Amino acid sequence: MGLIGGMARTAVVAGTATAVSNRVSRRQAGRWAQQEDAQAYQQQQQQAYQQQAYQQQYAPPPPPAPAPDAGGGTDDLIEQLDKLGKLRDGGVLTDAEFEAQKAKLLAG
């Protein structure tokens, strides 16, 4: 059993070494894949942040306020002044706040 036993032992050692080597390779490949995934995620987050910052920086200006209309503008103004008066009477606005808002409305 000397020659056959030696060959069998060599086969077992070689098989075990191959199995261990394959397992180490798979584990290392998994670690590299996780690192690549983490890097890709960080790049995506950074790009999203940069895009958001760009959009905020170059946001379009708000639309201009509509021009008061010559015919119906006074009715709207009266309604707004009436609302301001009700807010002041209800205690929501102070007299100073009421006067400031009224001045803004009258200035147009």
Side-chain angles (χ1 to χ4, degrees):
M1 179 134 118
L3 182 61
I4 294 178
M7 288 175 57
R9 186 177 2 194
T10 302
V12 168
V13 169
T16 303
T18 302
V20 169
S21 174
N22 287 340
R23 183 167 185 258
V24 169
S25 295
R26 280 193 305 270
R27 209 161 81 195
Q28 187 62 37
R31 287 181 183 164
W32 288 340
Q34 284 178 345
Q35 287 177 352
E36 289 173 359
D37 289 345
Q39 288 173 350
Y41 177 77
Q42 286 176 340
Q43 288 175 350
Q44 287 175 348
Q45 292 299 317
Q46 186 177 14
Q47 287 173 351
Y49 176 77
Q50 288 173 349
Q51 184 177 16
Q52 183 181 13
Y54 177 81
Q55 288 174 348
Q56 288 176 352
Q57 183 178 7
Y58 295 105
D69 156 43
T74 55
D75 290 340
D76 189 40
L77 179 63
I78 292 171
E79 288 177 18
Q80 290 178 345
L81 288 171
D82 187 41
K83 287 180 185 179
L84 282 176
K86 288 178 183 177
L87 289 172
R88 181 193 57 190
D89 293 342
V92 175
L93 293 177
T94 64
D95 288 336
E97 291 171 332
F98 170 77
E99 292 298 326
Q101 292 298 323
K102 183 174 91 172
K104 283 183 183 178
L105 287 175
L106 293 175

